[in-house]
Amino acid sequence: MRFCNKIADSLKVIIRKKNYMITKHKDNPDNMNNNSSHMIHTENVRFQYVKHDEDGNPVGTVTAVDGVDMTINRGEFIAILGHNGSGKSTLAKHFNALLYPSEGAVFVDGMDTTDDDKVWDIRQKAGMVFQNPDNQIIGQIVEEDVGFGPENMGVPTDEIWERVNESLKTVGMYEYRKASPNHLSGGQKQRVSIAGVIAMHPECIIMDEPTAMLDPSGRKEVIRAARALNDVEGITVILITHYMEEVVHADRIFVMDKGRVVMSGTPREVFSQVDKLQELRLDVPQVTLLADSLRKKGLDIPAGILTREELISALADLKHKQDSDRQ
Amino acid sequence: MALKLDHVNYIYDADTEMAHVALKDVSLEIGNGEFIGLIGHTGSGKSTLVTHLNGLVKPTSGQVLFDGHDINEKDYDRKKLRSKVGLVFQYPEHQLFETDVFADVCFGPKNLGLSKDEIEKRAYEALRMVGLSDDFYKQSPFDLSGGQKRRVAIAGVLAMEPEILVLDEPTAGLDPKGKNEILDLLKNLHEEKGITVVLVSHSMEDVANYVDRIIVMDHGQVQFDDEPKKVFASYKELEKMGLAAPQVTYIMKDLKEKGFNVDDTVTTIEEASDEIMKQFT
Ligand SMILES: Nc1ncnc2c1ncn2[C@@H]1O[C@H](COP(=O)(O)OP(=O)(O)OP(=O)(O)O)[C@@H](O)[C@H]1O
Ligand SMILES: Nc1ncnc2c1ncn2[C@@H]1O[C@H](COP(=O)(O)OP(=O)(O)OP(=O)(O)O)[C@@H](O)[C@H]1O
Ligand SMILES: [Mg+2]
Ligand SMILES: [Mg+2]
């Protein structure tokens, strides 16, 4: 155990160093093709599902992803938003070679996902947490389930336990390590599946609505964990969600509509376009809504407010100004 | 049409070493025409509780009464009960099974023994209400996105036109617009048709905006049962249970701390906005 701790510590140092070099790229999203700074890179990806009739005969296709060019740099925290059926999950499944493009190409850390020899490497680099935890829990006991990934990767037993405990603590499920996943509630299961991915120490984590089934503290914990994985460990995080509040700290946001990326930018850039977002069936965070409502009533509040702190300080400034004007 | 839980206890795998108490002495009444929010941390027993309401699950001890009759009596007509108390499951996958979307939504009304015309009329109406485009009607429900599946599952229950509608996290996975559409739909059904609604939710904002009464579950027990403002006034206790007050309430508390003379018990954006404007006149 001691020994492993040391290894883990020195690994963290290495990761931090790597991260230091990465941060430079973060500010520069336009770095060119197959650059080692690209965690994920897609070129004009189209994907069609084949529709079947009752007897399983193909009867047509649905274009779920329709020409997506996307570059995600190492160490970025990316959010993908979009209405139901806009193609988010379908696109995300391309990032760890669960689906292959019907047209175009997807590269994960420079590896073409259609390269059969690389599938295993790709899945190890890019771990996925799905919308419904039921589909990804296999073990009979929580800790066994979480250890399944690292075990499959050939991680030595001692270290497996280390990773299992550490990742269960990260998601607040350590107390349940001996429980049977089948007997957990929806939210508890979701946290176990996140732990399962974290235990594989991937370079990139794709989370497809990981908090949809969680209570307010569970949601906070998971988002905090995701941010820590990104900040401290330098892991690239791709978060798909319908909760606008969860993405205000992302480096960049992509908004999808009918299989295409129709908006992208920093949270401030994206959330300052309230009307456009609402047209796309989305919304802005609650604070932004409140700030907007106050602005419409005539208060001189800056656009693009994203956090509680920003709103409070804007209001405090206004109040201060009003009080001193009165004197 | 009142539903009543009387000292209900529920234990999963009772009599085994895996025994797990999910409901502890739960007593409550769901009155005719109420709009109730059921909240609680993950694992607090919400789903277990709601599956008692239509007799899917039988209490280990205690009684569930519908109009004064114990629904778990041997000769009680539970089939009829299920046509009156419609339950939308937490996971749509647990509810969808037909070969296409339309057939899936027809399943419930078909079981009620209605005519083919009436069945189809109801199915169309329900699918329209949940906002699923007819492009999907002949598609397998399993080939849909998460939010689309959710809509089909809700439509399936609406098509039965129940008197009491119990929905277990019906808006999880819906896009923001879709979420508001479904909540507005529930509000309309409640206001116009007098349907009783029990809404399980993890969104404090949604319950603050829509329901008249909140029941808070904590480790299998009812901890609060009151109107939303009063429940959220106990936000410190809620936080200890893994819950919270709506986000705007925290903004108001911060403002109060900064010396603003605002009411910090408001729970919705409109109220908060009005309250703040009073400071600037
Ligand atoms: N297995 C499938 N077969 C056929 N069509 C599918 C299948 N899975 C998804 N689709 C269709 O592809 C489109 C995109 O679906 P996808 O699941 O990627 O959407 P999404 O953005 O993740 O939506 P949600 O927010 O509801 O999860 C939808 O119109 C959906 O109906
Ligand atoms: N089939 C089962 N067997 C054993 N225990 C179970 C089973 N289903 C749920 N439990 C346990 O019962 C408790 C209550 O679960 P329930 O699903 O009712 O919670 P919930 O409030 O609906 O949670 P969530 O918000 O996550 O959906 C939990 O501790 C859970 O672990
Ligand atoms: Mg999806
Ligand atoms: Mg539940």
Side-chain angles (χ1 to χ4, degrees):
Chain A
M1 278 299 180
R2 278 275 149 75
F3 178 66
C4 283
N5 264 334
K6 265 190 194 151
I7 295 185
D9 281 343
S10 48
L11 262 177
K12 273 185 193 149
V13 174
I14 295 171
I15 291 171
R16 280 202 197 102
K17 278 190 186 149
K18 214 163 64 182
N19 193 22
Y20 173 68
M21 303 192 299
I22 295 161
T23 25
K24 288 193 205 151
H25 293 298
K26 235 183 178 173
D27 304 326
N28 191 1
D30 297 325
N31 278 333
M32 272 321 291
N33 204 357
N34 278 351
N35 186 316
S36 67
S37 74
H38 293 173
M39 189 70 236
I40 309 274
H41 177 74
T42 78
E43 285 174 3
N44 196 24
V45 171
R46 277 166 62 85
F47 183 85
Q48 293 182 314
Y49 288 104
V50 178
K51 282 207 257 187
H52 299 274
D53 66 8
E54 282 177 35
D55 308 316
N57 304 312
V59 289
T61 57
V62 185
T63 304
V65 175
D66 195 8
V68 169
D69 289 299
M70 193 181 268
T71 298
I72 294 170
N73 298 298
R74 273 177 180 284
E76 273 195 299
F77 194 122
I78 294 291
I80 302 181
L81 306 177
H83 61 82
N84 292 134
S86 59
K88 304 177 298 295
S89 298
T90 306
L91 180 66
K93 284 177 189 156
H94 283 77
F95 297 164
N96 72 339
L98 287 175
L99 291 176
Y100 306 104
S102 315
E103 275 173 49
V106 176
F107 299 92
V108 175
D109 197 19
M111 296 178 285
D112 188 328
T113 58
T114 55
D115 186 346
D116 284 341
D117 300 338
K118 296 281 164 51
V119 171
W120 196 238
D121 288 342
I122 288 171
R123 299 223 174 117
Q124 209 159 302
K125 270 199 203 291
M128 180 103 162
V129 178
F130 292 98
Q131 210 164 24
N132 182 348
D134 279 340
N135 301 342
Q136 49 191 334
I137 291 186
I138 23 186
Q140 294 302 303
I141 301 172
V142 165
E143 57 185 7
E144 196 176 274
D145 185 84
V146 176
F148 188 78
E151 186 177 6
N152 249 2
M153 289 161 54
V155 172
T157 313
D158 280 358
E159 199 193 325
I160 294 178
W161 287 115
E162 184 109 347
R163 288 188 184 195
V164 166
N165 292 342
E166 170 198 271
S167 28
L168 281 172
K169 281 178 192 159
T170 308
V171 299
M173 285 297 290
Y174 183 68
E175 283 169 56
Y176 290 83
R177 63 194 180 282
K178 301 285 181 203
S180 155
N182 297 327
H183 293 180
L184 298 177
S185 71
Q188 293 167 327
K189 277 184 210 163
Q190 192 69 305
R191 284 189 267 164
V192 172
S193 34
I194 294 168
V197 172
I198 298 175
M200 307 219 289
H201 289 186
E203 291 172 33
C204 173
I205 297 187
I206 304 142
M207 300 186 175
D208 193 351
E209 298 188 43
T211 61
M213 295 292 168
L214 302 189
D215 56 38
S217 359
R219 230 148 58 207
K220 252 192 230 158
E221 279 166 34
V222 168
I223 294 303
R224 203 181 294 144
R227 286 180 68 192
L229 291 173
N230 179 252
D231 280 349
V232 184
E233 320 275 338
I235 294 177
T236 309
V237 174
I238 300 168
L239 173 68
I240 297 173
T241 183
H242 289 300
Y243 285 107
M244 304 298 128
E245 282 75 19
E246 294 179 353
V247 309
V248 297
H249 297 287
D251 293 311
R252 283 189 296 150
I253 296 176
F254 291 100
V255 179
M256 293 190 69
D257 177 38
K258 303 193 189 79
R260 297 163 189 263
V261 173
V262 292
M263 285 170 88
S264 66
T266 62
R268 215 175 294 283
E269 287 162 357
V270 170
F271 287 132
S272 60
Q273 306 183 54
V274 185
D275 294 341
K276 188 163 178 199
L277 284 170
Q278 289 179 343
E279 247 165 61
L280 294 167
R281 303 185 59 85
L282 302 178
D283 213 337
V284 296
Q286 293 273 306
V287 207
T288 315
L289 273 183
L290 178 55
D292 233 54
S293 143
L294 293 170
R295 192 160 348 102
K296 283 190 179 133
K297 288 180 181 165
L299 284 197
D300 183 19
I301 291 181
I305 286 206
L306 292 181
T307 63
R308 223 157 103 189
E309 293 74 28
E310 288 171 0
L311 179 62
I312 303 294
S313 95
L315 287 172
D317 288 351
L318 266 187
K319 181 90 178 150
H320 186 73
K321 204 162 147 248
Q322 174 180 299
D323 290 349
S324 51
D325 283 353
R326 280 204 182 138
Q327 279 167 10
Chain B
M1 294 299 147
L3 257 173
K4 192 172 166 191
L5 268 66
D6 190 21
H7 298 288
V8 167
N9 287 286
Y10 187 77
I11 307 175
Y12 282 104
D13 305 311
D15 308 327
T16 74
E17 61 178 63
M18 303 285 296
H20 182 93
V21 181
L23 293 180
K24 265 181 246 166
D25 196 28
V26 173
S27 292
L28 54 90
E29 199 167 326
I30 296 165
N32 205 0
E34 287 199 90
F35 196 148
I36 300 176
L38 180 58
I39 63 176
H41 61 85
T42 64
S44 59
K46 304 180 296 298
S47 296
T48 307
L49 193 157
V50 296
T51 45
H52 278 78
L53 299 180
N54 69 350
L56 263 187
V57 169
K58 239 176 108 166
T60 309
S61 69
Q63 287 184 318
V64 182
L65 305 156
F66 186 61
D67 277 344
H69 298 287
D70 185 341
I71 66 166
N72 295 299
E73 287 279 296
K74 226 186 192 154
D75 45 6
Y76 189 88
D77 187 353
R78 273 183 295 279
K79 193 172 166 203
K80 195 164 155 214
L81 175 75
R82 277 173 209 157
S83 72
K84 291 186 177 171
V85 183
L87 172 62
V88 179
F89 289 119
Q90 179 167 5
Y91 292 98
E93 287 81 359
H94 295 172
Q95 192 165 338
L96 304 172
F97 48 88
E98 288 280 357
T99 49
D100 70 53
V101 165
F102 196 73
D104 213 293
V105 177
C106 286
F107 181 83
K110 211 182 210 162
N111 258 355
L112 299 179
L114 302 169
S115 72
K116 188 163 180 278
D117 279 359
E118 175 68 14
I119 293 171
E120 296 194 345
K121 199 184 112 214
R122 284 195 185 189
Y124 278 119
E125 175 65 8
L127 281 162
R128 192 192 55 76
M129 286 197 279
V130 299
L132 194 76
S133 132
D134 50 14
D135 297 346
F136 298 105
Y137 291 5
K138 287 292 152 203
Q139 203 161 312
S140 159
F142 299 98
D143 289 350
L144 296 176
S145 82
Q148 291 163 344
K149 279 184 198 151
R150 175 76 66 189
R151 285 179 167 78
V152 179
I154 296 173
V157 174
L158 289 178
M160 297 181 63
E161 299 187 354
E163 293 164 23
I164 301 180
L165 196 50
V166 183
L167 308 103
D168 198 350
E169 300 190 39
T171 60
L174 291 186
D175 55 48
K177 179 100 182 284
K179 188 189 74 172
N180 291 336
E181 285 166 356
I182 294 291
L183 291 170
D184 286 341
L185 171 69
L186 297 179
K187 191 175 161 192
N188 282 339
L189 289 172
H190 171 247
E191 284 172 0
E192 278 157 32
K193 301 201 176 161
I195 290 177
T196 307
V197 182
V198 179
L199 172 73
V200 177
S201 177
H202 278 311
S203 167
M204 304 302 120
E205 289 73 29
D206 291 349
V207 290
N209 280 326
Y210 287 89
V211 312
D212 303 322
R213 168 182 164 200
I214 296 179
I215 298 173
V216 182
M217 298 288 298
D218 179 41
H219 291 97
Q221 286 178 302
V222 175
Q223 288 296 352
F224 292 98
D225 183 347
D226 214 329
E227 54 187 80
K229 266 207 173 54
K230 291 199 179 135
V231 170
F232 287 128
S234 309
Y235 71 103
K236 291 262 191 242
E237 278 98 324
L238 292 179
E239 284 171 5
K240 279 185 210 132
M241 299 173 195
L243 303 175
Q247 295 172 55
V248 288
T249 309
Y250 289 103
I251 295 174
M252 300 309 269
K253 293 195 188 302
D254 285 357
L255 283 175
K256 193 159 195 177
E257 224 165 74
K258 287 262 169 188
F260 284 78
N261 180 23
V262 290
D263 174 2
D264 65 349
T265 65
V266 305
T267 54
T268 68
I269 291 195
E270 290 79 69
E271 289 172 325
S273 169
D274 290 345
E275 225 4 74
I276 293 172
M277 286 312 289
K278 285 189 204 155
Q279 305 292 309
F280 294 98
T281 45

